[in-house]
């Protein structure tokens, strides 16, 4: 089966150099294990993977992760520490707030699902979150990120 040859970040598309073959006893091979020769050129990791970790279909974004009529939309939040509270599959309400005291935060979307949390890079520019959302919400998010601070609130699972 395939395994990570080195630590990989969430949101990455593994190349041949990122992979190695792992021999496991038949009873130890997990369901959905990816076999050598599997084409991963269009598959995106949903989260970080450690060196030597077996790769299964569940480690990648796929049609199940992004429902029909939706798209995977990446956006950056200012407070990178918030991502430590999040897990793939969580549902979030998204808010846009400006620095003006006269304005309040606007609700951009309700219960959007987190589909990937790429590993944070060593930067002070916040953290990236990828959500499955409608094109309309993606448009509102794109507009809001140009002049607002985006923040999130965890919501109950709505699946």
């Amino acid at each position: 089966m395939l395994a990570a040859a080195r630590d990989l970040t969430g949101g990455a598309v593994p190349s041949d150099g990122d992979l190695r073959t792992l021999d496991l006893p038949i009873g130890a091979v997990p369901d959905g294990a990816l076999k050598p020769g599997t084409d991963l050129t269009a598959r995106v990791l949903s989260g970080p993977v450690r060196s030597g970790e077996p790769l299964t279909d569940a480690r990648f974004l796929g049609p199940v992760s992004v429902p029909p009529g939706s798209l995977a939309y990446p956006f950056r939040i200012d407070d990178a520490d918030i991502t430590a509270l999040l897990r793939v599959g969580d549902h979030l309400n998204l808010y846009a707030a400006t620095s003006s005291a006269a304005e309040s935060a606007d609700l951009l979307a309700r219960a959007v699902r987190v589909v990937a949390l790429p590993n944070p890079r060593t930067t002070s520019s916040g953290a990236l979150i990828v959500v499955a959302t409608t094109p309309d919400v993606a448009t509102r998010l794109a507009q809001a990120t140009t002049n607002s601070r985006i923040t999130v609130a965890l919501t109950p699972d709505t699946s």
Side-chain angles (χ1 to χ4, degrees), residues 10-34:
V13 176
S15 66
D16 288 341
D18 296 328
L19 307 171
R20 69 181 179 97
T21 301
L22 182 65
D23 292 320
L24 293 175
I26 296 293
V29 175
D31 290 341
L34 300 180

Side-chain angles (χ1 to χ4, degrees), residues 8-97:
L8 302 172
T9 61
V13 176
S15 66
D16 288 341
D18 296 328
L19 307 171
R20 69 181 179 97
T21 301
L22 182 65
D23 292 320
L24 293 175
I26 296 293
V29 175
D31 290 341
L34 300 180
K35 297 176 181 170
T38 301
D39 181 18
L40 299 179
T41 57
R43 311 257 330 247
V44 177
L45 286 168
S46 63
V49 176
R50 291 284 184 199
S51 179
E53 183 177 332
L55 295 176
T56 67
D57 56 352
R59 300 297 283 148
F60 294 87
L61 295 178
V64 173
S65 299
V66 182
S70 295
L71 48 87
Y73 186 82
F75 68 97
R76 189 166 297 282
I77 59 171
D78 291 336
D79 187 351
D81 291 335
I82 289 174
T83 60
L85 304 172
L86 304 178
R87 301 289 177 261
V88 171
D90 284 347
H91 290 86
L92 306 173
N93 285 355
L94 306 177
Y95 300 91

